[in-house]
Amino acid sequence: MEVVVGIAGKPNAGKSTLFSAMTGTMVAIGDYQFTTTETSKGIAYIVSRCPHTEIHKDCSPRRGKCFSGSRYIPVEILDIPGLIEGSGEGKGMGNQFMDSIRGASAMINLISPISDSKEMLSAHEMELGAKEVENEIIYWFSSRLGSEWDKFCRKVSHIQGPLEEKLLQKVGFFGIGLGEVKRILNSGNFPENLHAWNEENMENFSRIAMTVIRPIKRIVNKGDLLENTEEIRSKNMNVISADYELSIQRAYSAGIINDMETLEPTGKATQKQMDALERIQSDYRSGKINRIQNILTDMIKIQMENVIVYPVYDESKWCDKDGRVLPDAFIMKNTDTALDLAFAVHTEIGEGFIRAINGRNRMILGKNYELKDSDVIRIISK
Ligand SMILES: Nc1nc2c(ncn2[C@@H]2O[C@H](COP(=O)(O)OP(=O)(O)OP(=O)(O)O)[C@@H](O)[C@H]2O)c(=O)[nH]1
Ligand SMILES: [Mg+2]
């Protein structure tokens, strides 16, 4: 599964700064609104313990990297133009914004703790701001869903199948699949007859689609400017500093640190740089500020209920045909099966699926075996 995470939020929240830090890509950053006018794409990494540590052999990732037992698995990140009231109707950079969230499987809702007039906001105000952004996204989805509804109802009236099959004709455009439509219908109260759907039904459907199926994580940025973050964190919002993240990224590129996690300075660091790194590290240690990579990993593994699975060709050596150990790490749904993994590797492998083998205990796995996190699996195919 290709995971795409969009960074959304009001203008000036620090989206581009965060994007630069996460992806190591240079984009325009500015202390004014609508610095970003087009969506940028980049690659960031989630981190997970690599199974190579169990067999005492080095792995050779085809994509991403592995560093002291931690496997860095790539995900795509989108830097999305700022969102304002009315973006859902195309105001501001509305159209660019909305076009890009179609492709996102999850969103970060990045919140600034400072108002446009440069005053500090209360945790409650930050929460209200976050809701405004989410409502705009839901409004956008809902208005697309509702447009030409009668025409749509007539078009699908000949479909004999269940409601989700009809609705798929409408929402497939947003990258929402049949199973997901079914999940949405099961978690709300929706009329069986599409002609009977009212605005409330559509809004409800959109809310579930854009906050549960495509989860949104609220993250307060600019934590370096905050004295205390407890109240914010008690409202289920994480706190980060994109400025810190960018400094770490730059310090690493300049050889001032050689580990982006421990931030241990190398001999190259000046006293001033060491003091700055110490200040950053102390904010992380106290829990006042979180690392974006940990938040992203939790988002993808816990909130989105995914697992990381390693397909191999040789179940005893855990390598591919060329002897590369654990060459691939796939992000899959925790409800996906061995057969789904086979299809994710290659359509032909899926079509020719015979059985799978668990690389840890050599047990044979049928096509319905549900994938577990960190599984090493060989697929045998015709
Ligand atoms: N103190 C502090 N300032 C930050 C942080 N992140 C971003 N900024 C500043 O906030 C301003 C806006 O940053 P951008 O990254 O351009 O914000 P944006 O959300 O991409 O803005 P638009 O593209 O206009 O929507 C810049 O002056 C940044 O330097 C942070 O963590 N701490
Ligand atoms: Mg920007």
Side-chain angles (χ1 to χ4, degrees):
M1 184 182 77
E2 208 52 58
V3 174
V4 182
V5 177
I7 308 174
K10 294 188 178 180
N12 253 335
K15 300 177 295 297
S16 299
T17 310
L18 180 62
F19 174 84
S20 274
M22 289 172 90
T23 63
T25 318
M26 294 298 291
V27 287
I29 294 170
D31 189 16
Y32 46 90
Q33 301 205 332
F34 303 120
T35 305
T36 304
T37 54
E38 263 172 48
T39 300
S40 304
K41 285 184 190 180
I43 299 290
Y45 300 90
I46 61 168
V47 62
S48 188
R49 180 134 196 92
C50 185
H52 86 246
T53 51
E54 295 165 43
I55 53 167
H56 309 288
K57 267 196 251 177
D58 285 340
C59 66
S60 347
R62 236 190 292 271
R63 295 177 70 214
K65 56 199 168 186
C66 198
F67 187 70
S68 39
S70 295
R71 182 86 172 218
Y72 292 82
I73 301 149
V75 294
E76 191 172 308
I77 306 291
L78 307 176
D79 176 18
I80 295 171
L83 182 91
I84 52 165
E85 207 188 326
S87 291
E89 302 161 11
K91 281 197 193 129
M93 295 293 153
N95 292 329
Q96 284 88 329
F97 169 86
M98 296 305 175
D99 261 356
S100 35
I101 63 172
R102 236 165 16 99
S105 29
M107 300 281 266
I108 288 172
N109 182 356
L110 199 67
I111 304 145
S112 176
I114 344 173
S115 71
D116 290 343
S117 48
K118 313 264 180 219
E119 275 158 43
M120 294 313 276
L121 299 171
S122 69
H124 179 64
E125 287 168 321
M126 293 177 211
E127 201 175 32
L128 291 179
K131 280 185 188 153
E132 276 174 37
V133 167
E134 285 155 26
N135 285 339
E136 212 55 57
I137 296 173
I138 293 160
Y139 173 83
W140 162 78
F141 189 101
S142 178
S143 59
R144 294 300 177 288
L145 181 67
S147 80
E148 305 197 324
W149 186 256
D150 290 336
K151 197 170 148 194
F152 157 70
C153 291
R154 282 197 302 276
K155 199 179 118 196
V156 297
S157 59
H158 70 279
I159 298 180
Q160 294 300 321
L163 190 54
E164 58 264 25
E165 265 173 41
K166 299 181 184 177
L167 276 161
L168 186 68
Q169 305 278 324
K170 190 86 186 172
V171 301
F173 168 78
F174 301 97
I176 291 184
L178 191 63
E180 292 177 322
V181 180
K182 217 168 150 178
R183 261 182 74 198
I184 300 172
L185 293 175
N186 286 339
S187 44
N189 208 344
F190 299 99
E192 193 56 38
N193 178 359
L194 284 169
H195 283 288
W197 280 42
N198 57 25
E199 229 169 86
E200 200 188 318
N201 297 132
M202 300 204 195
E203 202 202 292
N204 201 8
F205 186 98
S206 308
R207 185 171 297 279
I208 302 170
M210 297 316 280
T211 59
V212 182
I213 303 294
R214 299 270 175 273
I216 299 189
K217 180 76 204 151
R218 292 178 187 169
I219 301 178
V220 172
N221 188 27
K222 312 193 187 187
D224 52 291
L225 302 176
L226 298 167
E227 285 298 323
N228 184 312
T229 63
E230 254 167 64
E231 200 189 342
I232 299 174
R233 286 183 285 127
S234 75
K235 292 184 180 297
N236 204 16
M237 299 188 279
N238 283 106
V239 181
I240 61 158
S241 165
D243 255 13
Y244 282 0
E245 300 281 355
L246 196 56
S247 305
I248 293 169
Q249 157 80 32
R250 287 185 176 153
Y252 182 75
S253 303
I256 292 163
I257 52 172
N258 47 29
D259 186 332
M260 301 229 274
E261 252 166 72
T262 62
L263 313 187
E264 204 56 57
T266 62
K268 262 179 107 177
T270 63
Q271 187 59 44
K272 207 172 143 208
Q273 287 166 332
M274 287 203 282
D275 292 345
L277 285 166
E278 180 47 42
R279 202 168 51 245
I280 293 177
Q281 190 60 289
S282 115
D283 277 347
Y284 287 137
R285 250 188 256 120
S286 69
K288 185 183 120 179
I289 296 180
N290 299 122
R291 290 303 296 269
I292 187 64
Q293 189 161 51
N294 298 336
I295 299 174
L296 186 69
T297 303
D298 283 355
M299 247 178 102
I300 289 172
K301 287 185 70 171
I302 300 169
Q303 205 179 356
M304 293 176 73
E305 304 181 333
N306 288 315
V307 291
I308 294 163
V309 183
Y310 301 81
V312 291
Y313 176 74
D314 181 325
E315 76 274 15
S316 54
K317 298 200 183 101
W318 291 10
C319 61
D320 67 6
K321 280 182 181 158
D322 305 320
R324 291 175 76 120
V325 174
L326 298 165
D328 302 304
F330 278 53
I331 302 174
M332 304 286 298
K333 288 259 153 246
N334 68 2
T335 47
D336 280 344
T337 62
L339 184 64
D340 293 320
L341 177 65
F343 272 104
V345 172
H346 201 285
T347 316
E348 276 175 18
I349 304 217
E351 282 164 355
F353 183 94
I354 300 171
R355 61 178 177 275
I357 301 176
N358 182 330
R360 285 204 177 74
N361 56 20
R362 317 286 148 83
M363 296 259 284
I364 290 182
L365 309 170
K367 66 178 193 307
N368 293 327
Y369 167 79
E370 266 189 22
L371 303 171
K372 311 268 177 307
D373 191 42
S374 199
D375 269 350
V376 176
I377 291 184
R378 172 178 180 188
I379 292 156
I380 299 174
S381 173
K382 270 183 226 143

